[in-house]
Amino acid sequence: MSENATPDPYADPLRFGQRAQILRERRGMTQAQVADLLGVSPHTYRKIENGQQKAPGIETVLRLAEILRVRDLADLTGRPEARVDLFVGPGHPRLTAVKAAIDGFPLTNRVEPPPVAHLEARLHAAWKARHASMNHREAIGALLPDLIRDAQALVRHCGSAVERRAAQALLAQTYSLAQFFLAYQPDSYLLWRAAERGMIAAQESEDPHAIGVASWLLAQAHRDSGSRHYDAADLVNLEAIRFLKPLLPEASDDVLAIAGALEFELGYTAARRQETGTAWRHWDKANDIAARLPETYYHPVTSFSHAVMRAHAVTVAVELRQGGESVRQAARAEQSVIKSRPRRARHRIEEARGYQLDNQPDVAVASLEKAYEAAPETIRYNGYAKAILLEEIESTQAPRRRRAADLAGKVGLLTA
């Protein structure tokens, strides 16, 4: 290896601080940025990297892994026996088939397209299956390859501009469904292809709802790529909101809801930046939009609704690291019923993060158990849930340690 090459964090012997420095630099982050997100002074964080301070406790290690988007805890600790996937689960058995359908671009008309109404009905059924299933990747992964190929064929066979726009809207919706399957799978480039192709198809469709959904998903892809991409996430969200704003006075419930979902995404990203006032201001705006919707309404893609806005309040407080406020918001949200199983599980995980911040680890583990009951696959692929369980497996309290270990075994956390 040349003198100018970036060291390999697997190479021994490397101190914990050296590994943290290498991984931080690979993400293009400064020491000050990491220190701010970690909740310590730049001076303290500098001492961690320089080895002038003993290796931090597991809570700090896991928080640092989260900030640096470390996919395997061994990358940070240098301990192969602690090899744990934190942010990306093992590839789903149906990933290969879904990937082949997304990557394929047939240039001939060998595939006979289905009638538009038939494809619409299949997509509607797929979204229902996604929300109702305890293991939504299995449910939609079985449907996606044929849906993708048929939607692509429908676009190719269009005979008029009107037909083509309608077909592009269905193709955009299909790519949106694919992104829910691809999230936390070990192929981030495939997720980006689906997100960008979905955005292009939505723009070609000129359908406001399709454009809003594609923007919502593309913004999330940017935000989840790390802090350097937060501005890009905001840019996508803001542009979509500006596009939809003139339509809102007479908009359908679905268009109104996607506008609200986009508004909340701005708040979510602000919370990630620790911008408290901005985060809650966007939550308020999104909540005002939700208030215009019927009490029983649920957006078919995002689950945006009265109930989910209460769950979103928990997320904002958690991202701002406000433990007490997270718990208060969780208590308010407890009265709400989130119909989507994976979304309900995601809320329980956010709730668990809040209880962990508030030093209530037993309640945090109980919340993760509820997440598992709602949708085992959701918790299996969620890095935050894994981080909490990994911490509580080491608890000095035997009952909590046993509960955490039991759940960790169910989700495959410690599987080699």
Side-chain angles (χ1 to χ4, degrees), residues 235-385:
L235 185 63
V236 173
N237 278 321
L238 287 166
E239 187 65 25
I241 289 171
R242 279 193 289 266
F243 170 74
L244 294 174
K245 188 174 181 180
L247 308 176
L248 297 186
E250 299 180 6
S252 67
D253 286 346
D254 284 353
V255 171
L256 196 62
I258 194 59
L262 288 160
E263 190 70 56
F264 170 72
E265 287 300 310
L266 289 169
Y268 194 161
T269 306
R272 284 271 179 95
R273 289 192 179 103
Q274 303 301 297
E275 297 171 352
T276 302
T278 302
W280 286 114
R281 184 173 72 252
H282 285 297
W283 183 92
D284 285 337
K285 289 183 178 180
N287 198 46
D288 288 342
I289 294 175
R292 294 173 56 185
L293 296 166
E295 184 71 35
T296 57
Y297 173 86
Y298 275 79
H299 187 260
V301 177
T302 68
S303 293
F304 187 83
S305 57
H306 292 262
V308 166
M309 279 310 303
R310 297 181 188 109
H312 282 335
V314 177
T315 297
V316 170
V318 166
E319 291 293 342
L320 292 171
R321 299 198 288 278
Q322 299 172 340
E325 182 63 21
S326 302
V327 170
R328 284 190 290 275
Q329 294 294 347
R332 295 189 184 106
E334 195 62 33
Q335 306 301 318
S336 305
V337 177
I338 299 175
K339 295 180 181 178
S340 169
R341 276 186 172 272
R343 187 62 186 84
R344 193 187 318 153
R346 165 73 187 282
H347 167 59
R348 292 300 188 186
I349 293 168
E350 296 293 277
E351 182 181 80
R353 293 176 68 197
Y355 284 118
Q356 196 78 351
L357 282 170
D358 200 47
N359 296 314
Q360 298 188 52
D362 287 305
V363 188
V365 173
S367 293
L368 292 181
E369 290 171 337
K370 292 177 183 177
Y372 184 82
E373 291 170 8
E377 196 176 67
T378 297
I379 185 172
R380 187 171 292 126
Y381 287 90
N382 188 281
Y384 297 121

Side-chain angles (χ1 to χ4, degrees), residues 96-108 110-111 145 148-153 156 171 175 190 193 197:
T96 300
V98 173
K99 174 179 168 59
I102 292 175
D103 286 346
F105 268 109
L107 299 178
T108 63
R110 289 176 297 172
V111 177
I148 292 167
R149 283 189 283 266
D150 286 349
Q152 290 173 340
R156 290 198 306 274
L171 180 58
Y175 281 129
L190 186 61
R193 285 199 290 282
R197 290 176 190 174

Side-chain angles (χ1 to χ4, degrees), residues 156-168:
R156 290 198 306 274
H157 281 77
C158 288
S160 69
V162 172
E163 290 175 349
R164 186 173 182 82
R165 284 194 295 271
Q168 291 281 17

Side-chain angles (χ1 to χ4, degrees), residues 122-138:
R122 286 162 60 195
L123 279 167
H124 179 72
W127 282 114
K128 286 187 67 176
R130 190 256 162 185
H131 290 300
S133 175
M134 295 176 70
N135 296 295
H136 77 271
R137 283 183 181 82
E138 178 60 28

Side-chain angles (χ1 to χ4, degrees), residues 146-206:
D146 285 340
L147 283 171
I148 292 167
R149 283 189 283 266
D150 286 349
Q152 290 173 340
L154 192 61
V155 170
R156 290 198 306 274
H157 281 77
C158 288
S160 69
V162 172
E163 290 175 349
R164 186 173 182 82
R165 284 194 295 271
Q168 291 281 17
L170 293 176
L171 180 58
Q173 187 181 158
T174 306
Y175 281 129
S176 295
L177 184 67
Q179 288 171 74
F180 282 94
F181 175 89
L182 296 171
Y184 297 106
Q185 291 295 297
D187 194 337
S188 59
Y189 294 110
L190 186 61
L191 175 65
W192 272 106
R193 285 199 290 282
E196 291 174 346
R197 290 176 190 174
M199 189 73 244
I200 292 169
Q203 289 176 324
E204 291 290 327
S205 78
E206 301 180 12

Side-chain angles (χ1 to χ4, degrees), residues 31-48:
Q31 288 183 332
Q33 287 173 325
V34 174
D36 180 58
L37 292 169
L38 196 59
V40 301
S41 70
H43 175 70
T44 297
Y45 180 72
R46 196 176 304 116
K47 289 172 67 176
I48 291 175

